[in-house]
Amino acid sequence: MQNLTEEKNKTDLWFDDFVSSIRVDQLALETGVASEEQKHLYETLINGNIQDMMDTGMKTAQQYYIQNMLVDYIHLLKKFEEAPFLKLAVSFHNSELLVWAEIEDDAEDVEGELIMAEAKINAKYHRHGFDMTTTIVEKCDMLPVPSHYNFLFGK
């Protein structure tokens, strides 16, 4: 019986907080201090535009998952004793994190670690519809980092 009461109290508290948060947003909208994101969210909800709601949800999911993928990837790379890559850059495309890594010639151990890091990221995030693809080049390939990538390391 106590678990039922505790669960009801938890539910009541959550709804109270949720409604209070919406009221604060309402006040922000009415006083003109709401952010553009808040305005857009509430206009979308009020107008009932399903397509816009889905687009907003997709954009939010992309930001959330891609950001977490990148953070997890960087943590995996920190396990290297020294940065064994000459250049490391990332790009985002829909539900995919793209990585460009330039390594020393014949650095097969580094290549293996980068492939394993990609596999770990994909094992965690693929079920949510998000994946990572790594392009690994060697210094001797003399390939420039594509312009749509952002450097994390090197230039």
Side-chain angles (χ1 to χ4, degrees):
M1 188 68 164
Q2 185 177 356
N3 280 345
L4 221 51
T5 304
E6 287 175 10
E7 192 62 34
K8 181 174 177 0
N9 288 340
K10 184 178 173 183
T11 302
D12 287 346
L13 182 60
W14 183 87
F15 273 102
D16 288 345
D17 288 346
F18 185 64
V19 169
S20 294
S21 179
I22 291 173
R23 289 292 179 202
V24 168
D25 287 351
Q26 180 183 11
L27 183 60
L29 289 167
E30 290 171 351
T31 58
V33 296
S35 70
E36 289 303 315
E37 281 183 349
Q38 283 177 306
K39 289 177 190 175
H40 179 71
L41 171 67
Y42 284 105
E43 286 171 6
T44 299
L45 293 172
I46 290 166
N47 293 330
N49 183 335
I50 300 297
Q51 179 69 44
D52 202 12
M53 285 183 213
M54 294 297 109
D55 290 345
T56 300
M58 179 71 82
K59 181 179 176 185
T60 302
Q62 286 173 334
Q63 289 172 343
Y64 174 81
Y65 283 111
I66 295 292
Q67 177 181 352
N68 284 308
M69 288 170 71
L70 186 55
V71 168
D72 288 352
Y73 184 66
I74 289 169
H75 282 280
L76 289 171
L77 296 183
K78 282 185 178 180
K79 294 179 182 177
F80 286 115
E81 289 183 24
E82 293 181 21
F85 22 82
L86 303 171
K87 296 177 185 172
L88 189 68
V90 296
S91 183
F92 316 104
H93 180 69
N94 295 328
S95 60
E96 190 169 31
L97 171 61
L98 305 172
V99 175
W100 181 279
E102 181 180 309
I103 61 175
E104 291 288 351
D105 298 336
D106 301 319
E108 293 173 10
D109 56 331
V110 175
E111 186 173 353
E113 289 293 326
L114 289 169
I115 291 169
M116 184 55 69
E118 175 185 316
K120 288 178 180 179
I121 295 297
N122 286 335
K124 183 174 181 179
Y125 292 98
H126 177 76
R127 67 176 175 226
H128 303 292
F130 292 84
D131 293 293
M132 181 175 143
T133 300
T134 307
T135 300
I136 303 170
V137 299
E138 293 182 346
K139 184 178 181 178
C140 67
D141 295 327
M142 298 182 356
L143 293 171
V145 176
S147 61
H148 61 283
Y149 280 77
N150 297 303
F151 282 92
L152 294 178
F153 182 84
K155 289 247 180 200

